[in-house]
Amino acid sequence: MADPNPLHGVTLEQIVTRLSGYYGWAELGRRISIRCFQDNPSVPSSLKFLRKTPWARTKVEELYLYMLRKHRLEFGEAAPDAAPKPTRPDEG
């Protein structure tokens, strides 16, 4: 049975990379007002900040979940670069 938590198995680096690719740094910085997204943004600098700042990480995870839901509603499929769902050996 699949894990109902869409964050299960997804790293913070994957989340930041997918969000920056989907929204772009400028829009990401507008949606979540933190300097690591607004001033010379990069994945490594964002990870360093987010790993030390629980409230910011929560906002990033919430935006990622929103992006997944929105993309599924619009396109009826997984979000861009989303990990494929594992299949069972008896499924063919």
Side-chain angles (χ1 to χ4, degrees):
M1 184 170 209
D3 189 329
N5 181 356
L7 295 176
H8 180 78
V10 181
T11 66
L12 184 57
E13 182 176 9
Q14 290 171 324
I15 291 171
V16 172
T17 300
R18 290 173 184 164
L19 286 174
S20 64
Y22 187 80
Y23 290 109
W25 288 112
E27 179 63 14
L28 193 53
R30 189 187 71 71
R31 288 176 177 259
I32 303 174
S33 185
I34 52 178
R35 196 172 7 186
C36 66
F37 291 163
Q38 299 170 339
D39 184 28
N40 197 21
S42 70
V43 172
S45 68
S46 299
L47 292 175
K48 185 175 181 179
F49 176 76
L50 293 170
R51 287 181 177 134
K52 295 187 297 186
T53 316
W55 66 263
R57 182 178 181 145
T58 298
K59 288 188 174 288
V60 168
E61 290 172 345
E62 288 171 352
L63 181 60
Y64 178 72
L65 294 173
Y66 171 78
M67 179 193 75
L68 291 177
R69 285 191 307 272
K70 179 180 177 206
H71 197 274
R72 284 189 185 115
L73 287 173
E74 288 178 3
F75 302 105
E77 58 189 47
D81 299 319
K85 290 185 179 180
T87 58
R88 296 189 330 231
D90 60 331
E91 293 179 342

